[in-house]
Amino acid sequence: MYRRILVGYDGSKAGKKAFDKALDLAARDRAALYVLTVVRPPEIADDVEGEAVIENSRDTHARMLAPLKRPVAAKGVKGHFEVAVGHPAEQIIYHADRKNVDLIVVGDRGRSKFVRLLLGSVSKQVVQYADRTVLVVR
């Protein structure tokens, strides 16, 4: 039984599946649901340009979370929605620690094996470095 569940959400098909699974688990266990989306800062940019890109991305990500609030409320789940800035795996683990969640739910993007080997995936990094249960939804 879970008390607090964090789901990483990026608007993708895999992210939606992860959100749906996390919401079902939260409703079943009457757990709080933390929905986190992460803005990646630009690799190379000056301070002013970088801040503008991040602020624009924050707004876009906040709008992406808005439609998720209705199904959370419909299931009677206490939902918390947040936009973070940084590397997605690092931010998911950081927020899981900060919120003391029992379960992290992430989607598996289904990239090719070569790309996953070369770059790694957020889900793989979360599984590798998180010190709590992680559910990867396919």
Side-chain angles (χ1 to χ4, degrees), residues 20-33:
D20 290 342
K21 182 64 174 178
L23 179 55
D24 288 345
L25 291 171
R28 181 196 74 187
D29 292 351
R30 298 182 184 183
L33 180 63

Side-chain angles (χ1 to χ4, degrees), residues 99-114:
K99 306 292 187 194
N100 196 28
V101 301
D102 307 302
L103 175 68
I104 300 171
V105 181
V106 291
D108 179 27
R109 286 190 174 265
R111 291 182 176 163
S112 72
K113 290 179 183 178
F114 177 73

Side-chain angles (χ1 to χ4, degrees), residues 36-43 54 57-58 61 83-95 122 125:
L36 178 70
T37 185
V38 181
V39 173
R40 287 184 188 249
E43 296 291 325
I54 290 170
S57 293
R58 275 184 179 279
H61 280 72
V83 178
V85 177
H87 184 277
E90 289 175 3
Q91 290 299 312
I92 289 169
I93 293 167
Y94 170 76
H95 284 271
V122 171
Q125 291 169 350

Side-chain angles (χ1 to χ4, degrees), residues 2 6-8 14-15 17-19 21-22 25 92 103-111 116 121-128 130 132-138:
Y2 302 109
L6 182 141
V7 58
K17 284 182 178 180
F19 169 77
K21 182 64 174 178
L25 291 171
I92 289 169
L103 175 68
I104 300 171
V105 181
V106 291
D108 179 27
R109 286 190 174 265
R111 291 182 176 163
R116 274 186 277 181
S121 68
V122 171
S123 56
K124 180 180 174 183
Q125 291 169 350
V126 171
V127 167
Q128 186 172 3
R132 62 199 72 235
T133 304
V134 178
L135 173 63
V136 179
V137 179
R138 291 182 179 219

Side-chain angles (χ1 to χ4, degrees), residues 25-71:
L25 291 171
R28 181 196 74 187
D29 292 351
R30 298 182 184 183
L33 180 63
Y34 297 88
V35 183
L36 178 70
T37 185
V38 181
V39 173
R40 287 184 188 249
E43 296 291 325
I44 300 174
D46 63 33
D47 290 341
V48 174
E49 181 183 287
E51 285 299 317
V53 169
I54 290 170
E55 196 56 38
N56 186 39
S57 293
R58 275 184 179 279
D59 292 343
T60 300
H61 280 72
R63 283 192 304 274
M64 181 176 63
L65 291 178
L68 304 179
K69 293 178 181 180
R70 178 173 280 143

